[in-house]
Amino acid sequence: MSDIFNIGTSALTSLQRAITTTGHNIANANTEGYSRQRVDFATLPAQISGAGFLGSGVTITSISRNYDAFLAEDVRARTASAFNASTGADLASRIDGILANPDVGLGPALDAFFAAVQDVSNNPASVPERLVMVREAEVLADRFQYFDDRFRQLDRQITLQVEDTVRDINSLATNIASLNQQIVSETVRAGGQPPNDLLDQREQQLNALAEKVGINSVTVDQGAVNVFLGSGQALVIGSEVSSLETFSDPFDVGRIAVGISGLALQSDISRFLRGGELGALLDARSTITDAGRNQLGVVATGVATFVNAQNRLGLDLYGNAGGDIFSPLSPSVIPRISNTGSATVAASFADVGALTGDSYELSYDGTTYTLSNTGTGASVTGAGPNFSVDGVDITVTGTPAAGDAFLISPVAQAGSLFAVQISDPRGIAAAAPVRSASSLSNGGTGVLTDLTVTDVTGLPLATDITLTFNPDALGAGVPGYDVSGFAAGPIAYDPATDNGAGIEISINGMSFRLNGTPQAGDSFVLENNADGGGDNRNGLALAALQTAPLLFNGTASFQDAYATLVADVAVQTRQARSIADTEDALLQQAISSRDSVQGVNLDEEAANLIRLQQAYQAAARVIQIGDEIFETLLNATGR
């Protein structure tokens, strides 16, 4: 008789626990991160009898949670991607809002400056037009500095966010390690049974960590989980944590890098961190703030360099050679903080038109130098001490030590350093330093045109230079121009073949074109442009710089380069927003798939509760029947 009581009791006990678990599910239906739990039943060992094996009841083998490791890992991966994309889109939108604002854009300032240059060329002797040009130059300088400052502000904000994110990552890693320890302890104490609620808590911490940085996790013995960053760097191993830390960039104390704390030698692992908010913040520094500031620096360097160079080729209103309108710019060179050698590195512009906006690291290993592009990773090696790359000449002096390195940033500082140097509007060199004149006695149709100055080293002229047509200048029957006043020539020119297209001639830093059909004795004079206040030839050359393709190896004007920067940022912003929307949709799909397995369905739990209640009532009835049988036996034997 005890068998039926034991069976009924085991059923009541097991069903009571199942009902309790179902109630726990219902109570936590709205608890974030909760996974539905289920009771796993199994029959008790049967007892042998003469008629065969008799069942002895039911027991609970485990209370486990509905958990799919693949779906959970997919949610974490999608979480890292979604938060990475969302953060990147937000940062790109900030830059796009700055550059695309027509009220503070660089484009209108460039237009206004070159419009003022054109006004000066239209009326070169007028001081008011020159004063307006100086004021527009100051506005342009303010605009460059404004944009550079906004880029730097965003960079500082990113730095603060990186520090906060690293602290959050360390806090979450510590929580995961603590939960690992609790889970292992409780699993051992429960004889291998999983502590479901603790597992759910750890799952929440892992998902929160995935919001901050991309991770991979591996479950090991007794339920602990090891967490690795995207590069494979261990963050949590059991109950041990390898915390992240921020430290000053080796080339810039104002910028931080991310590494592993506790190491004897700090190593920047920023480039290995992918996904999540941290990955987006670190990527934004190189792809948005640094790239944008460098592109702005290319434009600033181009404007300052080419405008200054052209102004130096002219004469100002005092009749003096022109000077710099803007402060000259040069590449910045920053030695690594840990350098121990005595070497210094100097960099200068060899060809501003070849600048790319990239920065370079020059390192020394004890025997060989390596010059690496910090953006593309391309590198060259050599014995030094001179290098040339993308329009920049680099020279090493002194003795470097093994491990020394230098960061060469050709244009990173250009926006902040762009400034107006000229103060006297009369110093604008609108006039050309030389002019040409034809002899009044010339009888032919020969002309000297397109006189320009490319080098003022040989100016002003010591004496006038006279070109006289001679049918036998280079020998009998070989026509050309005899040259006096300068050690050059004669210049070959045959009207029979050269008339029409003409020929280009360069003398003493001057270039001009000879054309037409001159007669013997026809002459032209090149002379200093004395009293040339009304001359506007150099002013026209200054104005022509606005549309000239001077940047990026002759493919872009100043406006083109800036417009490309604005367009690139706009495209990046649209792409980033589109990617963020897509990643968010994929994350919601992953969460929905996970919740379909792990989430609590109240309808299903209500049905289970009814089913278990009925089973519990039936088990109680079994005990009741057993009791009635027992009473019947007692009554029968008692009589």
Side-chain angles (χ1 to χ4, degrees):
M1 189 61 62
S2 61
D3 289 342
I4 193 169
F5 283 116
N6 289 336
I7 290 173
T9 301
S10 67
L12 286 174
T13 303
S14 298
L15 289 169
Q16 184 182 37
R17 292 174 181 174
I19 291 172
T20 300
T21 300
T22 301
H24 186 56
N25 288 338
I26 294 172
N28 287 279
N30 296 313
T31 301
E32 184 178 357
Y34 179 79
S35 298
R36 175 179 176 269
Q37 297 179 12
R38 69 175 186 272
V39 175
D40 297 320
F41 293 96
T43 58
L44 288 171
Q47 297 178 358
I48 192 169
S49 68
F53 288 91
L54 293 175
S56 58
V58 65
T59 188
I60 294 176
T61 58
S62 68
I63 300 175
S64 59
R65 59 182 184 145
N66 280 14
Y67 179 78
D68 189 305
F70 173 79
L71 294 178
E73 187 65 34
D74 187 46
V75 167
R76 283 197 288 274
R78 293 299 180 189
T79 298
S81 297
F83 276 80
N84 180 270
S86 177
T87 304
D90 177 64
L91 294 170
S93 296
R94 295 191 211 176
I95 292 296
D96 186 48
I98 296 171
L99 295 177
N101 189 335
D103 296 329
V104 296
L106 184 63
L110 281 169
D111 286 339
F113 171 71
F114 281 106
V117 174
Q118 186 64 55
D119 290 340
V120 170
S121 66
N122 292 339
N123 194 3
S126 174
V127 174
E129 280 82 352
R130 290 167 173 263
L131 184 60
V132 170
M133 177 178 164
V134 173
R135 295 294 175 261
E136 292 297 344
E138 292 171 346
V139 171
L140 181 60
D142 288 341
R143 201 61 51 84
F144 272 116
Q145 293 172 14
Y146 167 79
F147 278 118
D148 185 84
D149 184 62
R150 293 303 298 271
F151 277 117
R152 293 181 185 278
Q153 285 182 14
L154 181 57
D155 190 72
R156 288 191 290 270
Q157 292 173 13
I158 290 175
T159 294
L160 294 176
Q161 286 183 261
V162 168
E163 291 175 335
D164 289 342
T165 304
V166 167
R167 282 193 290 268
D168 290 341
I169 289 172
N170 289 338
S171 176
L172 290 167
T174 300
N175 292 343
I176 292 170
S178 176
L179 285 167
N180 272 344
Q181 189 173 24
Q182 294 178 59
I183 288 168
V184 170
S185 175
E186 292 299 312
T187 300
V188 171
R189 193 165 68 91
Q193 295 297 331
N196 297 315
D197 293 331
L198 288 176
L199 292 173
D200 284 342
Q201 291 179 36
R202 188 180 65 188
E203 190 72 20
Q204 279 188 283
Q205 296 294 300
L206 287 170
N207 290 337
L209 181 60
E211 295 177 6
K212 304 300 178 181
V213 66
I215 59 172
N216 293 307
S217 61
V218 178
T219 302
V220 293
D221 293 341
Q222 297 175 327
V225 65
N226 295 338
V227 182
F228 302 90
L229 300 177
S231 61
Q233 171 64 46
L235 181 64
V236 178
I237 300 295
S239 60
E240 300 296 325
V241 178
S242 297
S243 300
L244 298 181
E245 68 172 354
T246 58
F247 57 92
S248 295
D249 186 278
F251 293 107
D252 184 357
V253 294
R255 170 173 283 196
I256 61 171
V258 179
I260 302 297
S261 64
L263 300 181
L265 181 64
Q266 290 176 326
S267 179
D268 185 6
I269 64 170
S270 300
R271 63 187 182 278
F272 301 119
L273 300 174
R274 295 288 181 267
E277 294 177 9
L278 182 60
L281 292 169
L282 296 174
D283 286 342
R285 290 200 307 191
S286 59
T287 62
I288 298 179
T289 58
D290 288 351
R293 190 165 62 242
N294 286 340
Q295 287 293 95
L296 185 72
V298 171
V299 180
T301 302
V303 171
T305 301
F306 288 110
V307 170
N308 286 348
Q310 189 62 55
N311 200 63
R312 288 195 296 266
L313 295 178
L315 293 180
D316 63 20
L317 210 53
Y318 297 111
N320 300 323
D324 291 331
I325 292 178
F326 299 106
S327 299
L329 298 173
S330 59
S332 66
V333 179
I334 305 173
R336 179 184 283 166
I337 298 172
S338 59
N339 284 0
T340 58
S342 62
T344 59
V345 173
S348 60
F349 293 124
D351 181 5
V352 170
L355 294 176
T356 62
D358 293 335
S359 296
Y360 311 88
E361 182 179 329
L362 181 65
S363 58
Y364 183 68
D365 64 4
T367 57
T368 305
Y369 292 96
T370 299
L371 182 65
S372 303
N373 186 306
T374 59
T376 66
S379 64
V380 295
T381 58
N386 300 322
F387 295 88
S388 293
V389 58
D390 297 331
V392 179
D393 288 340
I394 302 169
T395 302
V396 181
T397 57
T399 305
D404 284 0
F406 300 83
L407 180 66
I408 297 95
S409 298
V411 295
Q413 307 294 330
S416 62
L417 298 177
F418 189 93
V420 176
Q421 183 162 297
I422 192 172
S423 57
D424 185 354
R426 293 174 177 81
I428 297 171
V434 294
R435 61 192 177 197
S436 64
S438 303
S439 173
L440 295 177
S441 62
N442 286 357
T445 60
V447 292
L448 185 153
T449 60
D450 300 333
L451 174 61
T452 58
V453 175
T454 58
D455 187 356
V456 296
T457 304
L459 300 178
L461 296 172
T463 60
D464 293 346
I465 299 175
T466 303
L467 283 67
T468 305
F469 184 70
N470 181 357
D472 301 313
L474 285 85
V478 183
Y481 283 90
D482 293 324
V483 180
S484 63
F486 188 75
I491 298 171
Y493 180 81
D494 188 349
T497 57
D498 295 329
N499 181 26
I503 60 172
E504 186 79 22
I505 302 298
S506 294
I507 293 179
N508 194 34
M510 299 175 288
S511 65
F512 51 88
R513 181 171 292 278
L514 295 171
N515 209 340
T517 305
Q519 292 182 0
D522 286 358
S523 64
F524 304 96
V525 177
L526 302 176
E527 58 187 2
N528 292 320
N529 190 17
D531 301 322
D535 183 10
N536 69 347
R537 284 175 294 153
N538 201 56
L540 291 172
L542 281 169
L545 295 176
Q546 179 180 15
T547 57
L550 300 172
L551 302 180
F552 299 112
N553 294 308
T555 62
S557 66
F558 305 138
Q559 285 281 20
D560 292 337
Y562 177 69
T564 298
L565 169 60
V566 175
D568 286 346
V569 171
V571 169
Q572 283 183 343
T573 302
R574 287 195 297 271
Q575 289 178 338
R577 180 51 57 196
S578 176
I579 292 172
D581 292 341
T582 300
E583 290 294 342
D584 183 66
L586 292 174
L587 172 60
Q588 297 308 316
Q589 290 179 9
I591 292 175
S592 178
S593 297
R594 181 201 62 187
D595 290 349
S596 67
V597 174
Q598 297 178 206
V600 176
N601 185 314
L602 290 176
D603 291 337
E604 182 180 352
E605 296 302 322
N608 285 339
L609 194 59
I610 294 173
R611 177 175 58 82
L612 292 171
Q613 181 186 15
Q614 292 174 343
Y616 189 86
Q617 291 172 343
R621 181 63 176 161
V622 168
I623 293 178
Q624 181 182 4
I625 291 173
D627 181 63
E628 292 175 354
I629 294 173
F630 188 69
E631 287 291 336
T632 300
L633 289 175
L634 287 177
N635 292 332
T637 57
R639 287 196 295 269

